[in-house]
Amino acid sequence: MEYQPRPIEQKWQKHWEENDTYKVSNDSNRPKYYVLDMFPYPSGAGLHVGHPLGYIASDIYSRYKRLKGFNVLHPMGFDAFGLPAEQYAIDTGIRPAVSTDKNIVRYKEQMSNLGFSFDWSREVKTCDPNYYKWTQWIFTQLFAHYYDQAADKALPIEDLVATFEQEGNANVKAATTQTEAFSAAAWNAMSEKEQRDVLMNYRLAYREIGYVNWCEELGTVLANDQVKDGISERGGHPVVQKAMPQWNLRITAYADRLLYDLETIEWSNALKTMQSNWIGRSTGAQMFFNVEGNDDQIEIYTTRPDTIFGATYMVLAPEHELVAKLTTAEQQKDIDDYLAYSQARSEIDRMSDKQVTGAFTGAYAINPFTGKKVPIWIAEYVLISYGTGAIMAVPSDDERDQRFAEKFGLEIIPVVDKSDYPGATLDDKVGEIINSDFLNGMEVKEAIVEMNKRVEEMGIGKAKVNYKLRDAGFSRQRYWGEPFPIVYDKNGFAEALPLDQLPLELPETEDFKPGKGGKSPLSRLDAWVTLENGYTRETDTMPAVAGSSWYYLRYMDPNNPAAFASQESVNYWQDVDLYVGGAEHAVAHLMYARFWHKFLYDKGLVPTNEPFKKLINQGMIQGVIEFAYYQKSTGQFISEELIADYEGEDIAQMPVHIDFVTDYGSDKSYLSEEGIEQFKNWRPEYKNAEFVTTEDSDRFYTKSEVGKMSKSKFNVINPDLVIEEHGADVFRMYEMFLGPIEASKPWDTQGITGVSKFMRRFWNLFFTNEQFTISEEAANKAELKVLHATIKKVTEDIERFSFNTCVSAFMEVSNDLRKMKCNKRSVLEPLTILLAPFAPYVTEELWQLLGKEGSVHHASYPTHDESYLKEDEIEYPISINGKKRATAMFPSDASKEDIEKAALEIEGIQKWLEGKTVRKIIVVPKRMVNVVIG
RNA sequence: GCCUCGGUGGCGGAAUUGGUAGACGCGCUGGAUUCAAAAUCCAGUUCUCGCAAGAGAGUGGGGGUUCGAUUCCCCCCCGAGGUACCA
């Protein structure tokens, strides 16, 4: 019987669904194991071949763990709130809820074709009110707590109020933006507004003025990636930074725990380093510089207080509050021009640009140690969001300060002598201090300690730990997100809604355009916004990271109406044992989820300190656009069949780089000369094609293809089509075979034939003359050796997530058995189980043909026996001076001396020894021999 | 710019602890089968020179450590991801 994948796959897919084969119970005496995929955003483009890579890997691992006897939780859901659905709604009038649901249906269909063992009864959607009820609830809890640094955990805000009433804030150690101290009397004398404002400075969810990308022409707030070079991507209008009140989460309160707990989890060092750098803990000094001629002080933060004698000027971020005040009349124009320039630039623009820019305010500060006047500049290399938004510049000992000083002709005083440290860079905290009065002769490290002491004694500052990590901006002026569970009373005081008023459902509307002044579309829904007694609702919504910060907990108990998950379920599943997802989430999502988890841990609601024990980043599959067409209006390559519900963001992510030019005047894009070259390199079959655009349509074609349009359109590789042709088992194995799970690699449809061939050959091992034939004869030594070598190899490789080499091993064993003409049950049956995690359908069919009861996926995993793998003889490479000159077989138990002696007598070695002296012979048993001659 | 990762045949990749570089597959070349093609099967395939035996070179570039380096160290080049409102 010929191997025909589709009928087999359809048969078993139906069977599994009808029999709840993958349903998971929270009640089991087997050990638990939780395998989680990062849930997808359901885009209109559907699943492409890049998506399933991680899902296949996690499915293989889940199935492997099940065969090994674990109770495996392996769920899937949808990160369903987000900007693309809203943009699509603005463009088409189709409600986000409708388009999102449609996309989800499509995703689920595609995923079930792939044979994943998800327990779909546990599906979660972040846009489902039954789900976001708890997202909102967690937010209200963050609002109702502060971070107590003495207890090192979150505590209720009422506790804090009680303390304030008793003793003020002098003894409170908390993560706060409150700078002023107050006594109990002062607290009790405060107005309600003052008290509320103070508490806002302590809450873990708090409201504060923040900056957004504002585009006046579009009347809307833009995401960073919708802005390029200070211009909106759509329409090419100018974008500026606008101050607006925003909700924030005080993630910085958890900075130290987020940093130190990295040591307790099994993530790659690369990822931990990235997280740790993102947190960016540094110890330094906070210091105040007096401004000449008035009472203002400039607060700076420096990790190098020891270099203060070299501080010859100061730099403020352009947004710094003192800029307007300090600027002198003569310098006003320079500063205004510079502010206009810098306002239009994003942080990335500012940091990635090598140009040195800045402007002089005309004002001077006093260096507290030299007593000298130092000019105050503004420059975009100082960021308002890091430290205090102001620096003392030491051009002799900081590269950026140095370039700045050189360009603007500012004084440079060397203060660190690094001549004892050849090769040390400016960044290295080493050297001997010079030109620095009482610090002269000290080593940098000593000098830092001494300076911190002096600064504190003089009362001009203190030692301080600083973090690059910033609080999370949590407000979006958008429709398609969770409404904040916040109302404002007639005084404008924020109050959180109690649980019995949750979920606060997102109201329906047909109008998704931004509201006045960049407010959320919700602000227009007066009936929804306005409540009794002068209360009004918050009209901003939460960002997509909200829903994804805790979804892994909901899978444990997805339908619970009374809690985000029952305590029993959380205590049973504990945490995620293996988390698989893209490296693009390596920092932000993982940081927020860890933060929320720690908060819930502080509240005693989860039993673990960290949510994700082990984490694997899958790479991207590149070049996934097989056939696409180019749409001039959007400048994107997209697929014909998906044009109806095209949203674009997935395509934009695809790492195929075809340069095209956008003409902002006409708002049209077209391929550049260079782009056509790149395109031809990428698709050599178009090498001789003539490229034209047609005026009547919005599309770009190659001229040679105009005749046969249906084939000329380019198409996103849709897994459905590949599965239709080769079967899901082959598709799964091919994706794994492409390369290491963590690497990015290109998709090449041609290569799938190799895996297809393997699958047919494997299948044919069970058939003789088209008849299923299995031999009950005992296996011979050679057969047992390949079987057990394969069990060993595949098992070890699964454990280290090296699935591509597993596929190679399966190919090898099937080639070997084919040559041996082996169709013995004792060999093929364990191999069928071994292959089951990779090719779940075909192995299920073969299992049935083998006459076995039940599912192969509930079988027991085979173990290898080392005794079958023993070699009598080992082939040794014999090298002369490290260069291989011969090989020889030696008994596996041969002694070093015997090998040494025998190696020198080999003919191919002898000729190299003529006229030379053997200086040394290195024999590594079971490995190699190296003869050193001279 | 900064942080992280990566660079191995024509292509995807393998080499798990410093020990035979190129497993496995695609592609390509030759052969069998076929009226022919597809499919299938067999053999070969890092590059250079050579009929061959063999020799030389070789893991982005340069340098170093070592008996021995794709693997460890230093410098440089190139690519990818992230850079806080894409998800």
Side-chain angles (χ1 to χ4, degrees):
Chain A
M1 200 167 72
E2 203 185 321
Y3 170 56
Q4 286 187 328
R6 288 312 283 154
I8 294 173
E9 293 178 1
Q10 275 152 5
K11 167 183 159 188
W12 289 110
Q13 199 168 305
K14 192 156 163 270
H15 179 93
W16 293 337
E17 267 166 42
E18 286 167 359
N19 290 277
D20 283 333
T21 303
Y22 302 117
K23 192 147 181 160
V24 187
S25 169
N26 281 3
D27 184 19
S28 166
N29 43 25
R30 285 180 295 157
K32 74 98 187 183
Y33 200 89
Y34 186 178
V35 181
L36 180 68
D37 289 293
M38 288 185 187
F39 61 171
Y41 175 78
S43 91
L47 223 54
H48 62 66
V49 291
H51 280 114
L53 188 68
Y55 307 154
I56 296 169
S58 65
D59 193 61
I60 289 169
Y61 202 77
S62 301
R63 289 174 179 278
Y64 165 74
K65 278 292 190 182
R66 266 187 222 112
L67 292 172
K68 283 273 204 178
F70 288 83
N71 187 35
V72 177
L73 176 55
H74 185 41
M76 180 49 76
F78 297 94
D79 191 11
F81 275 133
L83 207 48
E86 182 162 328
Q87 192 54 52
Y88 183 65
I90 293 171
D91 294 345
T92 64
I94 296 170
R95 293 186 2 244
V98 172
S99 61
T100 302
D101 275 350
K102 189 171 146 238
N103 295 345
I104 288 177
V105 168
R106 178 117 192 270
Y107 266 61
K108 285 178 74 171
E109 249 173 48
Q110 290 184 297
M111 285 200 246
S112 37
N113 279 339
L114 282 160
F116 295 137
S117 58
F118 296 131
D119 177 356
W120 280 110
S121 72
R122 293 174 183 259
E123 174 185 348
V124 307
K125 289 181 244 188
T126 55
C127 65
D128 179 349
N130 294 320
Y131 177 83
Y132 68 68
K133 171 182 182 176
W134 300 104
T135 310
Q136 290 173 330
W137 179 76
I138 295 170
F139 181 86
T140 63
Q141 297 307 299
L142 287 162
F143 179 75
H145 285 75
Y146 76 105
Y147 196 86
D148 191 292
Q149 288 166 336
D152 209 11
K153 64 190 281 195
L155 292 175
I157 202 94
E158 295 85 56
D159 294 8
L160 188 64
V161 173
T163 309
F164 289 169
E165 285 168 356
Q166 302 285 316
E167 50 185 69
N169 72 348
N171 298 320
V172 173
K173 289 198 70 174
T176 179
T177 32
Q178 176 73 23
T179 47
E180 276 159 47
F182 51 82
S183 64
W187 168 261
N188 293 324
M190 281 183 202
S191 69
E192 189 179 0
K193 178 173 191 320
E194 286 166 335
Q195 289 188 340
R196 297 250 185 182
D197 286 346
V198 167
L199 289 180
M200 211 41 121
N201 288 335
Y202 287 88
R203 294 179 192 276
L204 287 173
Y206 65 97
R207 200 159 180 254
E208 191 186 72
I209 300 289
Y211 291 89
V212 295
N213 300 311
W214 171 251
C215 180
E216 186 66 42
E217 279 77 2
L218 298 175
T220 187
V221 172
L222 296 174
N224 284 342
D225 70 333
Q226 296 174 318
V227 184
K228 286 240 161 66
D229 301 324
I231 292 174
S232 67
E233 217 167 33
R234 280 173 174 256
H237 305 297
V239 176
V240 298
Q241 300 298 302
K242 182 183 181 177
M244 284 179 108
Q246 309 272 312
W247 284 96
N248 297 280
L249 300 187
R250 206 178 297 280
I251 188 173
T252 49
Y254 284 85
D256 275 341
R257 281 167 64 186
L258 290 169
L259 179 64
Y260 296 126
D261 290 346
L262 285 173
E263 286 168 25
T264 66
I265 49 185
E266 285 173 61
W267 294 10
S268 69
N269 284 331
L271 194 52
K272 288 186 188 180
T273 309
M274 257 193 271
Q275 289 236 331
S276 143
N277 289 340
W278 179 269
I279 294 165
R281 187 182 202 275
S282 67
T283 50
Q286 166 201 46
M287 245 187 268
F288 292 91
F289 277 51
N290 289 320
V291 175
E292 188 197 42
N294 68 38
D295 296 339
D296 288 314
Q297 286 194 315
I298 299 174
E299 182 186 354
I300 61 120
Y301 175 78
T302 177
T303 55
R304 295 298 303 275
D306 55 304
T307 61
I308 195 163
F309 288 90
T312 52
Y313 66 104
M314 301 193 75
V315 185
L316 308 183
E319 295 85 359
H320 197 281
E321 55 177 8
L322 286 175
V323 173
K325 205 170 167 191
L326 295 179
T327 303
T328 61
E330 307 86 75
Q331 290 303 110
Q332 193 65 50
K333 187 171 182 314
D334 276 12
I335 293 290
D336 287 347
D337 289 350
Y338 191 74
L339 289 177
Y341 158 83
S342 70
Q343 258 205 346
R345 287 160 60 82
S346 72
E347 273 186 28
I348 294 174
D349 289 341
R350 290 187 184 191
M351 288 184 289
S352 53
D353 207 333
K354 282 181 182 168
Q355 282 180 51
V356 178
T357 61
F360 179 42
T361 61
Y364 292 85
I366 307 295
N367 182 323
F369 285 87
T370 62
K372 282 194 203 159
K373 269 170 57 169
V374 294
I376 303 169
W377 287 65
I378 64 171
E380 59 181 8
Y381 78 92
V382 175
L383 303 176
I384 188 70
S385 49
Y386 180 68
T388 59
I391 61 160
M392 65 173 202
V394 184
S396 61
D397 219 54
D398 180 283
E399 215 180 296
R400 286 167 309 178
D401 295 347
Q402 192 170 62
R403 280 202 306 254
F404 193 87
E406 280 165 2
K407 168 151 182 180
F408 294 107
L410 297 157
E411 189 184 5
I412 301 174
I413 303 171
V415 286
V416 182
D417 177 3
K418 285 188 157 61
S419 51
D420 286 345
Y421 298 88
T425 67
L426 285 187
D427 290 337
D428 298 324
K429 292 183 184 177
V430 294
E432 186 190 323
I433 306 288
I434 53 172
N435 297 329
S436 298
D437 193 2
F438 54 87
L439 293 178
N440 284 341
M442 286 189 196
E443 269 296 308
V444 165
K445 288 207 169 89
E446 270 178 276
I448 291 176
V449 174
E450 176 64 23
M451 273 309 287
N452 283 340
K453 208 176 91 191
R454 297 253 184 169
V455 164
E456 285 200 36
E457 279 168 11
M458 290 166 67
I460 56 165
K462 60 181 179 197
K464 198 184 164 190
V465 175
N466 197 43
Y467 302 91
K468 281 210 184 83
L469 182 70
R470 310 205 292 255
D471 282 345
F474 218 59
S475 287
R476 300 292 182 271
Q477 293 72 37
R478 308 275 177 197
Y479 171 74
W480 191 231
E482 299 88 349
F484 280 97
I486 293 286
V487 291
Y488 300 97
D489 71 10
K490 55 185 184 302
N491 298 313
F493 300 153
E495 279 175 27
L497 295 176
L499 179 57
D500 62 17
Q501 289 184 39
L502 299 181
L504 171 59
E505 293 203 28
L506 184 61
E508 289 198 9
T509 174
E510 297 298 325
D511 183 5
F512 311 103
K513 289 200 193 67
K516 263 188 205 144
K519 281 191 174 168
S520 143
L522 296 180
S523 65
R524 257 194 307 267
L525 306 175
D526 291 335
W528 182 80
V529 174
T530 311
L531 303 165
E532 289 169 11
N533 303 328
Y535 275 76
T536 56
R537 292 195 193 282
E538 168 64 62
T539 59
D540 283 353
T541 55
M542 297 188 202
V545 290
S548 61
S549 289
W550 72 283
Y551 73 109
Y552 57 94
L553 294 168
R554 188 64 176 172
Y555 287 131
M556 296 173 178
D557 189 14
N559 301 309
N560 194 327
F564 68 86
S566 71
Q567 284 303 293
E568 301 83 72
S569 65
V570 177
N571 285 329
Y572 177 69
W573 292 111
Q574 298 268 318
D575 54 8
V576 175
D577 293 282
L578 174 67
Y579 195 19
V580 178
E584 66 272 23
H585 300 286
V587 185
H589 157 64
L590 291 173
M591 196 70 81
Y592 295 133
R594 292 179 63 217
F595 160 44
W596 281 42
H597 192 89
K598 286 178 186 302
F599 172 69
L600 294 173
Y601 174 74
D602 286 355
K603 295 260 301 161
L605 295 171
V606 295
T608 55
N609 198 12
E610 283 286 338
F612 314 120
K613 228 182 261 175
K614 186 172 174 68
L615 189 137
I616 300 280
N617 282 132
Q618 97 260 11
M620 265 201 234
I621 294 197
Q622 301 167 314
V624 281
I625 310 171
E626 180 77 351
F627 297 104
Y629 67 77
Y630 183 70
Q631 190 183 32
K632 283 196 283 181
S633 60
T634 59
Q636 306 278 18
F637 285 91
I638 57 181
S639 112
E640 171 91 344
E641 58 176 324
L642 301 175
I643 182 62
D645 53 7
Y646 165 70
E647 288 169 18
E649 80 296 332
D650 261 41
I651 310 291
Q653 279 182 15
M654 290 180 182
V656 172
H657 299 286
I658 307 296
D659 277 358
F660 55 85
V661 176
T662 301
D663 177 355
Y664 286 115
S666 64
D667 204 10
K668 280 186 181 169
S669 304
Y670 45 90
L671 269 184
S672 62
E673 294 291 327
E674 202 184 340
I676 290 172
E677 277 314 301
Q678 290 174 337
F679 185 81
K680 286 179 176 176
N681 286 337
W682 174 48
R683 298 264 104 198
E685 62 269 34
Y686 291 95
K687 205 175 281 175
N688 299 316
E690 192 178 333
F691 283 72
V692 296
T693 52
T694 50
E695 288 306 318
D696 53 321
S697 81
D698 194 21
R699 302 173 188 181
F700 170 91
Y701 295 109
T702 64
K703 195 175 186 180
S704 59
E705 300 288 341
V706 172
K708 33 173 188 168
M709 226 49 116
S710 61
K711 284 202 170 178
S712 74
K713 67 195 183 200
F714 317 122
N715 216 340
V716 171
I717 294 262
N718 181 331
D720 301 352
L721 301 174
V722 182
I723 288 168
E724 203 45 57
E725 198 181 337
H726 299 279
D729 285 332
V730 167
F731 180 84
R732 288 166 62 106
M733 293 193 79
Y734 183 54
E735 286 234 339
M736 292 300 98
F737 186 58
L738 280 173
I741 191 72
E742 305 206 70
S744 292
K745 55 247 162 189
W747 173 267
D748 167 26
T749 300
Q750 219 174 19
I752 202 168
T753 55
V755 176
S756 216
K757 200 189 282 176
F758 151 75
M759 201 57 93
R760 275 197 305 276
R761 286 173 170 181
F762 184 79
W763 174 266
N764 287 335
L765 290 173
F766 296 76
F767 289 84
T768 312
N769 299 326
E770 308 274 295
Q771 285 294 310
F772 181 82
T773 317
I774 196 85
S775 161
E776 305 293 340
E777 226 180 294
N780 63 35
K781 207 177 160 189
E783 289 163 343
L784 286 169
K785 190 173 169 188
V786 294
L787 170 67
H788 285 267
T790 306
I791 296 173
K792 181 178 181 187
K793 169 86 178 148
V794 169
T795 308
E796 285 174 0
D797 285 1
I798 291 176
E799 288 287 358
R800 67 187 179 103
F801 304 97
S802 176
F803 301 117
N804 56 331
T805 52
C806 288
V807 178
S808 298
F810 282 122
M811 287 174 170
E812 280 176 274
V813 74
S814 93
N815 287 342
D816 288 347
L817 293 177
R818 194 167 61 98
K819 280 174 192 148
M820 294 172 182
K821 297 199 176 4
C822 170
N823 69 336
K824 292 170 183 166
R825 177 184 290 275
S826 56
V827 175
L828 295 184
E829 205 173 282
L831 270 184
T832 303
I833 303 172
L834 205 62
L835 184 63
F838 295 83
Y841 293 112
V842 70
T843 49
E844 191 78 308
E845 180 73 13
L846 290 169
W847 193 248
Q848 191 184 47
L849 289 169
L850 283 165
K852 308 295 288 186
E853 292 286 310
S855 170
V856 69
H857 304 297
H858 298 146
S860 162
Y861 197 82
T863 48
H864 85 274
D865 184 338
E866 199 70 36
S867 64
Y868 295 117
L869 304 180
K870 268 199 189 129
E871 300 276 359
D872 298 333
E873 281 197 310
I874 293 170
E875 191 190 29
Y876 281 75
I878 319 290
S879 301
I880 306 286
N881 285 350
K883 184 127 189 105
K884 189 180 84 175
R885 294 300 177 186
T887 59
M889 300 297 290
F890 295 120
S892 54
D893 55 359
S895 73
K896 266 192 176 189
E897 292 71 28
D898 291 348
I899 293 173
E900 205 173 298
K901 211 170 128 203
L904 292 175
E905 281 160 16
I906 295 165
E907 207 184 331
I909 295 301
Q910 280 284 320
K911 68 173 188 183
W912 290 93
L913 303 179
E914 279 172 41
K916 306 276 184 181
T917 316
V918 176
R919 301 203 182 275
K920 198 174 178 183
I921 302 178
I922 290 144
V923 178
V924 181
K926 298 186 180 173
R927 285 275 185 208
M928 47 66 69
V929 178
N930 189 20
V931 182
V932 185
I933 60 171

